[in-house]
Amino acid sequence: VYSCSKSDNIEPTGINEIIVDKIDYQLSPVNASGITGTASFTRDSNDNTTILIELINATTEEHPANIRFNTAAEGGPIDITLKPCTCAVSTTVVTQLDDGTPIDFDKLLNLDGHVRIEQSATSTEVVAIADIGINAN
């Protein structure tokens, strides 16, 4: 059982940082989930890259989130494990791929990948998805 409050997902990313670049990707529902939302990629004035996922029509339960290689239609292995969406929100500062390869905002914009949101920690059924990087329209 989860309960949500406005402060649950607030994570400071630093002091006096200003967002200098931002791109939003719209999440589409999959498997009749009805879950949509936005995956926002930002670069701040300290060159930190943050991925903020905000789900619409999601339950308060934890939804695993990740970036995977290839297009959403192709599917692929996990490239970057993001913090799970808890209370429909996830905030992750990204500096590297899961294999340790460094990645920044510009490299994410050129990534052959997609964002994938799953049903729960026990069900990998996809509930929302968005092509990102070179795969985005």
Side-chain angles (χ1 to χ4, degrees):
V1 174
Y2 294 88
S3 66
C4 301
S5 72
K6 283 284 188 195
S7 64
D8 282 349
N9 298 296
I10 297 171
E11 292 184 26
T13 56
I15 299 170
N16 299 323
E17 293 175 355
I18 299 167
I19 292 175
V20 294
D21 285 308
K22 180 179 179 187
I23 186 164
D24 292 330
Y25 298 104
Q26 298 307 309
L27 292 160
S28 299
V30 179
N31 296 320
S33 70
I35 297 174
T36 62
T38 306
S40 300
F41 291 49
T42 59
R43 174 177 26 210
D44 67 31
S45 54
N46 290 329
D47 209 27
N48 296 311
T49 301
T50 302
I51 299 175
L52 170 67
I53 298 174
E54 297 176 287
L55 301 178
I56 299 169
N57 298 323
T59 63
T60 58
E61 74 179 306
E62 195 170 89
H63 296 283
N66 49 68
I67 294 176
R68 292 176 175 255
F69 286 113
N70 305 321
T71 65
E74 293 171 310
I78 295 176
D79 191 16
I80 302 170
T81 301
L82 303 172
K83 290 186 180 173
C85 297
T86 304
C87 298
V89 176
S90 165
T91 305
T92 308
V93 176
V94 176
T95 58
Q96 63 185 13
L97 306 180
D98 283 1
D99 70 6
T101 304
I103 193 160
D104 61 15
F105 185 84
D106 292 323
K107 289 178 182 171
L108 280 167
L109 294 187
N110 291 300
L111 188 71
D112 174 11
H114 63 281
V115 173
R116 174 175 154 156
I117 311 299
E118 298 172 353
Q119 178 64 40
S120 68
T122 57
S123 171
T124 58
E125 180 177 329
V126 182
V127 295
I129 208 158
D131 281 323
I132 62 165
I134 62 170
N135 299 324
N137 291 336

